Amino acid sequence: MEHQSLLRETYIEINLDRIEHNIRAIRSMCGPGTTIGAVVKADAYGHGAVALAPVLMENGADLLCVATLSEGIELKQHFPNYPVLLMGLTRSEYFDDVLQYHLIQTIDTFEQAAALSQSAAKHRQTAHIHIKIDTGFHRLGFLVNEESINRIEAIAHLPHILIDGIFTHLVLLDDTTNERQFQLFLSVREALEKRKIHIPCWHIADSIAGVDYPQYRMDGIRAGAILYGLKGFHKRELDILQAISMKSRINHISPVRAGEGVSYDFTWRAEKDTRIATLPFGYADGYPRNLRGKGWVSIHGKRAPIVGVICMDQCMVDLSEVPKAQVGDEVIIYGDGTGNTMSIQEAALLAETNKNDIVSRLTRRPPRVYMKNGEIVKVRHGFLPA
Ligand SMILES: *Cc1c(COP(=O)(O)O)cnc(C)c1O
């Protein structure tokens, strides 16, 4: 049963036209020959992977990339024909699920590959994999040495395995480190090609590298943040638009007299008589609790600063700049920066984290409202059956 009504004042709005705009911009930046892996892990960075997948795949993406097996299964249950790469490792006890859902598995040891080959034989399938190389990040991957080349060669000769791609991940410290990683990765390609092992898709670039270093696009890029219009690049330009916003309404207004405090521990006290609005969202919706004393919302196009401790489900704002505000009025929690709204970029700065963290921490409690051509096309409730 689909509930089209929100059931709540606080919600997250996703502009699907902007997602379409962004993936098209990425496609035109890369040109037709580059594989675009759309990174939709963490529920598409809080935007909703199932709602976004068709928009991405119909407008330029070739492949969906997620981190975990359950994320991959969710996508495959909705879209059995979209190729999905699991960028994280999966323990061999779950290989039956990997094969049942035809997921592409990242592999970084010979033993995993051999176990996957055995499971694939049992399923009468060929398992598709990407090999992960560690060029210095030291998270996952084969180290770059002779022994690893031997092992990758052995994987290539396993009977029920097909190596679709091979990748590594950049540290993004500086140009020198990036280039050292890139050259190491190229040395792996050279060594494998000497042994007549040709892997079709070599990829190193994430969003930032994909924009800032065109030479690192190789056969493909793994684009996450830029799909959602979140800009972390700084050398070159890409015309993308933030697709997410978060909204609510004023729930209650309290007249607070000079000297009185607000919220737990009275960390804030009114210097003068102040109208305080209570808003029905809190840190359990994914709003950073450390924005206390720094964050604000936009009401009537004006800033209303958050005062006092942010609670789990509610927070309070000072209405001094918005004297006409009333219960029921719209509140913009995150916007695109226009109309005194706080952008994701600004929230990240104030919360001392990055943009991906601000959006991927949004929980399933606020419903996702999907807009196309200015109209609601879908509402997703995190707690109700789809
Ligand atoms: C998350 C992730 C990406 C995407 O990162 P963005 O910076 O959001 O583009 C790319 N590659 C790997 C391996 C990842 O884990």
Side-chain angles (χ1 to χ4, degrees), residues 244-282:
I244 202 167
S245 52
M246 187 169 177
K247 299 178 180 174
S248 191
R249 290 188 184 279
I250 297 175
N251 231 359
H252 177 90
I253 294 179
S254 315
V256 174
R257 280 203 289 265
E260 290 182 337
V262 167
S263 193
Y264 292 114
D265 299 330
F266 285 168
T267 61
W268 182 89
R269 283 176 188 276
E271 284 174 5
K272 53 179 173 46
D273 290 359
T274 309
R275 288 171 84 228
I276 296 293
T278 303
L279 310 178
F281 71 90

Side-chain angles (χ1 to χ4, degrees), residues 295-341:
W296 77 89
V297 298
S298 172
I299 304 174
H300 298 182
K302 299 262 167 43
R303 283 189 187 199
I306 294 176
V307 296
V309 168
I310 295 169
C311 309
M312 188 180 257
D313 320 300
Q314 302 176 83
C315 65
M316 278 64 85
V317 297
D318 178 344
L319 291 179
S320 299
E321 298 299 313
V322 209
K324 296 212 172 74
Q326 297 299 330
V327 168
D329 287 358
E330 182 175 70
V331 171
I332 315 279
I333 303 164
Y334 295 139
D336 61 7
T338 60
N340 271 317
T341 59

Side-chain angles (χ1 to χ4, degrees), residues 35-36 60-61 70 74 95-96 103 119 122 131 142 147 154 162 176 179 193 200 223 263 277 291 330 340 355 378:
T35 296
I36 296 177
S70 55
E74 184 192 30
F95 281 166
D96 284 336
L103 293 159
S119 299
K122 205 175 69 193
I131 300 275
F142 283 100
E147 175 66 14
L162 207 66
T176 316
E179 187 60 23
E193 288 187 347
S263 193
L291 284 186
E330 182 175 70
N340 271 317
K355 296 179 284 283
K378 183 178 169 155

Side-chain angles (χ1 to χ4, degrees), residues 38-57:
V39 180
V40 293
K41 61 189 178 188
D43 201 22
Y45 295 36
H47 294 61
V50 169
L52 264 55
V55 179
L56 297 168
M57 292 298 286

